[in-house]
Amino acid sequence: MVDGTTGGEGLLFLTDEQLRKGIEAMFFAYRGFTADPDRILEGMDYGRAHHRAIHFIHRSPGTTVSNLLSILGVTKQSLNRVLRSLVEDGLVESRVGKQDKRERHLYLTAKGAELERALSDAQRARMRAAYRAAGPAAVQGFRTVLEAMMDPELRRQYQGLRDGNA
Amino acid sequence: MVDGTTGGEGLLFLTDEQLRKGIEAMFFAYRGFTADPDRILEGMDYGRAHHRAIHFIHRSPGTTVSNLLSILGVTKQSLNRVLRSLVEDGLVESRVGKQDKRERHLYLTAKGAELERALSDAQRARMRAAYRAAGPAAVQGFRTVLEAMMDPELRRQYQGLRDGNA
DNA sequence: AATTTACGTCAGCCTTGTTGACTTTCCAAG
DNA sequence: CTTGGAAAGTCAACAAGGCTGACGTAAATT
């Protein structure tokens, strides 16, 4: 049924050893992936959690807190702590919803956008170098495998740019 | 061959939007990547840090503490806390080096190997499903891009199975 | 003999996650 | 109009897992 035993050529890319290499590749690559933003953030009062919030507010300006909660997959208390400091420091603006005044819509301020740019420039530079070194076909495969690795719910978050706002 | 600046069609895979998608793909995929082991570990007294130690001890039986330190990229105090609990709980054995008695060589016990298997079975199952869904060519690209994304030093760790031991 | 290396440990701090309890605001259904 | 409940915010307490600094010990190296 799941086969794996197709006789013949035999799916070498599915051996335990190949899978282990894939696992370690994810581990080491993720370190590289976060290294540059981490370096920028260290010293400032911020960490990765702030980076993530800034990233997704940038991607979806006007997103609500609960929207962000479901994307980031943390508790509101945890997110709130991060958001509060960003708002206090004037990087993020929180506007009361017009239609539903319970909701808060989040936007980067000019200052917030500036930090976002610094962070994503660094991260994109690494990604660009990796893409360039690997070539378009490899990039295609990279994206395909990553997508298949996501939880279905997260895959929807990833694909769906639908963030409603209001 | 890999061209680069072929004018004309113009490297669509290097646009900022493509790079942003790649960044988010890493973010969401990594969540999936760690989800299954995290589920197994929750409830036990262990976390991701224990998983990582167990993984690399399994990969390189007899590896030393400082070896592990350089692979994991944490401080010895941090690693020691993890290692101590694993040794106390009888998952890891720490043997004094024969040649150099300052060194401690780390091995999984039967019990440790059992947990390792549970964790890596879960992680491999997801990886296998992703690989199978994506196909061999995509897997090749996936590995190529991840490798290009690593810091050079980590890439050496990743590639070099040389862990000496003693 | 002196120094360096490998390891362990104590103490304290930070970030970022968690629960639980509680309040305020406000939409929407009865 | 009243009320139930969703959305958001807040306080408090806690844990995991990073970090630094300081110190100790045994063994190897110089």
Side-chain angles (χ1 to χ4, degrees), chain A residues 126-140:
Chain A
R126 182 183 292 254
M127 195 61 83
R128 189 179 296 115
Y131 274 21
R132 199 189 301 277
V139 168
Q140 173 63 40

Side-chain angles (χ1 to χ4, degrees), chain A residues 22-138:
Chain A
I23 287 168
E24 294 189 0
M26 277 297 283
F27 173 70
F28 287 120
Y30 200 78
R31 289 254 295 277
F33 173 68
T34 56
D36 304 316
D38 282 357
R39 247 187 305 276
I40 292 173
L41 290 163
E42 99 180 353
M44 323 183 57
D45 251 4
Y46 302 135
R48 253 180 234 182
H50 299 83
H51 180 194
R52 292 196 281 263
I54 287 173
H55 174 96
F56 285 106
I57 294 171
H58 171 78
R59 184 190 89 164
S60 306
T63 189
T64 63
V65 171
S66 45
N67 228 316
L68 211 45
L69 281 178
S70 79
I71 288 171
L72 296 175
V74 298
T75 59
K76 66 174 175 174
Q77 293 90 332
S78 205
L79 176 58
N80 191 255
R81 178 171 36 200
V82 164
L83 243 29
R84 197 189 321 156
S85 67
L86 290 174
V87 169
E88 276 169 8
D89 298 350
L91 301 186
V92 166
E93 196 190 346
S94 169
R95 295 185 208 152
V96 173
K98 285 195 170 170
Q99 323 224 334
D100 185 335
K101 294 178 191 163
R102 292 167 302 179
E103 295 182 338
R104 304 301 140 96
H105 298 276
L106 303 169
Y107 300 89
L108 293 185
T109 64
K111 196 174 159 195
E114 190 183 343
L115 178 56
E116 193 284 328
R117 209 169 313 116
L119 293 169
S120 73
D121 277 357
Q123 202 160 37
R124 269 201 308 274
R126 182 183 292 254
M127 195 61 83
R128 189 179 296 115
Y131 274 21
R132 199 189 301 277

Side-chain angles (χ1 to χ4, degrees), chain A residues 7-29:
Chain A
E9 26 70 357
L11 301 176
L12 284 185
F13 71 116
L14 288 175
T15 63
D16 279 5
E17 179 57 19
Q18 287 297 313
L19 295 167
R20 187 186 65 76
K21 279 304 250 184
I23 287 168
E24 294 189 0
M26 277 297 283
F27 173 70
F28 287 120

